[in-house]
């Protein structure tokens, strides 16, 4: 009687598959598995033969999973991988004993709100961990895929790779910044205000260098803003705003940046505040790791606190 594909497969290869899927590198997979790199490569070939698919293909970033590899990774965890995690890690996750580095990327509008709080919380519960913070840029998504960055907190993710796991975070109310001496300082800021005066924009490479969020929002109303200053540095934008009649539309509140000559207001579109969605993103291979769940829950709590403070404004 012929064996089914399941009966013919060496189930030890499934463990090797998941490690390669997480590392996307046979050398690092070999280190984790305590195997030689040639043995890992031979096991990968057995997987390819068993599933009649390359499973992983070489790219300049390392290995990239095929569609079949993604399918296996998404469906096998409900059985094999979850069972493995429960048995192997039920008593293993202890934040206080974790060491190493966490590479985090934040949208520049969120970095001041989250990075300090996250470090202080980690310093309290996981003092052996190092937090390395970067700001979102053109290479961020590729860095998340290759493992150079561990996770990101972003606004409005746009067409991200299917290799990414994306979880929603609390939405926040958009703000505008303008000089205390601005003609509209005591007025309600509407969509007409944002075309009546020139704008200063926070320039985010890989995010809004082609079209900003405010341009997209106003375009729906048939309005075109006059953007006269763009900078990747929030402090520079606020400095310019403080000395001119420029208005700076922003998707969140700045934290840790102070300018006594600048005020913050909530703009209204059709009489309602503008909400910006936020997301916690990482590579799919981290989906079952307790640390990433803790990071998500912690950042979610920070965002909920911010949302509560917005209601008091």
């Amino acid at each position: 009687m012929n064996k089914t594909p399941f009966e013919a497969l060496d189930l030890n290869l499934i463990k090797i598959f998941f490690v390669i899927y997480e590392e996307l590198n046979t050398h690092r997979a070999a280190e984790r598995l305590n195997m030689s790199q040639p043995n890992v490569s031979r096991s990968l070939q057995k997987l390819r033969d068993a599933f009649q698919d390359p499973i992983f293909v070489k790219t300049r970033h390392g290995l990239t999973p095929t569609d079949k590899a993604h399918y296996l990774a998404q469906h096998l965890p409900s059985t094999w991988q979850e069972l493995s995690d429960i048995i192997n890690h039920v008593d293993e996750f202890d934040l206080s004993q974790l060491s190493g580095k966490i590479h985090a990327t934040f949208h520049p509008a969120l970095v001041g709100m989250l990075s300090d709080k996250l470090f202080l919380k980690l310093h309290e519960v996981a003092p052996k961990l190092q937090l390395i913070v970067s700001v979102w840029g053109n290479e961020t998504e590729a860095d998340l895929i290759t493992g150079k960055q561990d996770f990101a907190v972003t606004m409005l993710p746009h067409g991200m790779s299917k290799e990414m796991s994306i979880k929603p975070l609390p939405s926040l109310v958009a703000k505008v910044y303008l000089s205390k001496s601005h003609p509209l300082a005591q007025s309600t800021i509407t969509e007409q205000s944002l075309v009546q005066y020139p704008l200063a924009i926070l320039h985010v490479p890989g995010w809004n260098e082609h079209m900003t969020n405010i341009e997209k929002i106003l375009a729906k109303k048939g309005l075109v803003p006059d953007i006269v200053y763009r900078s990747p540095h929030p402090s520079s934008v606020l400095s310019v705003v403080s000395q001119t009649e420029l208005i700076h539309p922003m998707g969140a509140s700045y934290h840790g940046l102070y300018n006594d000559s600048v005020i913050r207001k909530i703009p209204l579109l059709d009489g309602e505040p503008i909400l910006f969605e936020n997301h916690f993103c990482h590579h799919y291979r981290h989906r079952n790791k307790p640390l990433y769940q803790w990071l998500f829950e912690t950042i979610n709590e920070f965002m909920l606190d911010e949302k509560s403070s917005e209601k008091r404004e």
Side-chain angles (χ1 to χ4, degrees):
M1 183 176 179
N2 292 333
K3 291 183 177 180
T4 65
F6 177 80
E7 292 171 328
L9 182 67
D10 179 355
L11 294 183
N12 287 318
L13 295 176
I14 300 300
K15 175 183 178 182
I16 295 172
F17 164 78
F18 275 110
V19 174
I20 298 175
Y21 188 83
E22 290 180 355
E23 296 295 342
L24 296 178
N25 182 291
T26 55
H27 292 281
R28 291 198 299 267
E31 291 177 0
R32 278 185 55 183
L33 293 162
N34 196 26
M35 296 171 60
S36 69
Q37 193 273 337
N39 280 340
V40 171
S41 295
R42 282 192 286 272
S43 297
L44 177 53
Q45 186 57 54
K46 291 179 181 179
L47 284 164
R48 288 167 169 160
D49 294 340
F51 292 106
Q52 299 182 356
D53 186 83
I55 304 297
F56 300 98
V57 295
K58 290 184 178 179
T59 69
R60 63 188 181 91
H61 297 302
L63 296 176
T64 296
T66 64
D67 288 344
K68 182 166 285 189
H70 284 305
Y71 178 87
L72 291 170
Q74 292 170 25
H75 290 79
L76 284 173
S78 63
T79 52
W80 178 273
Q81 185 66 14
E82 288 185 3
L83 178 62
S84 173
D85 286 344
I86 291 170
I87 293 172
N88 292 334
H89 304 300
V90 64
D91 296 319
E92 186 176 297
F93 182 63
D94 182 354
L95 271 171
S96 66
Q97 298 304 311
L98 295 182
S99 60
K101 299 176 181 178
I102 297 177
H103 294 265
T105 296
F106 297 97
H107 187 285
L110 301 172
V111 63
M113 179 196 309
L114 298 173
S115 60
D116 296 2
K117 291 180 180 179
L118 181 59
F119 170 75
L120 292 173
K121 187 65 177 179
L122 282 169
H123 191 62
E124 173 189 345
V125 300
K128 298 178 184 179
L129 280 175
Q130 301 177 43
L131 179 64
I132 302 173
V133 173
S134 300
V135 175
W136 187 280
N138 285 316
E139 301 300 320
T140 297
E141 187 172 348
D143 288 344
L144 289 167
I145 292 172
T146 60
K148 292 181 181 178
Q149 294 293 321
D150 294 310
F151 74 91
V153 180
T154 71
M155 291 182 177
L156 303 170
H158 50 288
M160 284 190 172
S161 166
K162 60 185 176 183
E163 295 181 50
M164 300 299 297
S165 175
I166 301 173
K167 295 181 180 179
L169 290 165
S171 57
L172 297 176
V173 175
K175 311 295 194 304
V176 295
Y177 290 81
L178 60 162
S179 168
K180 286 183 177 179
S181 60
H182 196 284
L184 297 181
Q186 303 303 316
S187 304
T188 300
I189 305 298
T190 67
E191 55 265 41
Q192 293 297 330
S193 307
L194 299 175
V195 293
Q196 181 182 0
Y197 289 90
L199 304 184
I201 296 293
L202 186 66
H203 179 80
V204 186
W207 195 264
N208 69 353
E209 67 262 55
H210 301 300
M211 190 173 189
T212 63
N213 290 327
I214 194 61
E215 287 177 290
K216 296 175 184 177
I217 290 170
L218 293 177
K220 295 178 181 178
K221 310 291 290 183
L223 302 173
V224 179
D226 181 21
I227 301 174
V228 299
Y229 183 62
R230 301 172 189 259
S231 172
H233 304 292
S235 58
S236 175
V237 173
L238 294 182
S239 176
V240 167
V241 165
S242 72
Q243 301 172 66
T244 66
E245 291 188 354
L246 272 65
I247 297 176
H248 174 44
M250 191 63 254
S253 300
Y254 287 126
H255 289 251
L257 289 175
Y258 301 98
N259 191 312
D260 293 336
S261 301
V262 172
I263 59 173
R264 182 179 72 199
K265 298 174 74 71
I266 295 176
L268 301 179
L269 181 67
D270 294 329
E272 297 292 334
I274 303 167
L275 293 179
F276 278 88
E277 297 177 352
N278 304 287
H279 297 81
F280 181 86
C281 309
H282 57 75
H283 193 277
Y284 190 76
R285 62 180 174 271
H286 300 310
R287 69 203 176 283
N288 290 324
K289 293 183 178 178
L291 174 60
Y292 284 75
Q293 183 62 33
W294 181 89
L295 288 166
F296 168 73
E297 292 172 355
T298 300
I299 291 172
N300 189 71
E301 189 67 29
F302 293 156
M303 301 287 274
L304 287 173
D305 290 343
E306 179 70 16
K307 196 173 184 71
S308 296
S309 68
E310 288 182 341
K311 294 179 179 178
R312 297 191 291 269
E313 289 190 20

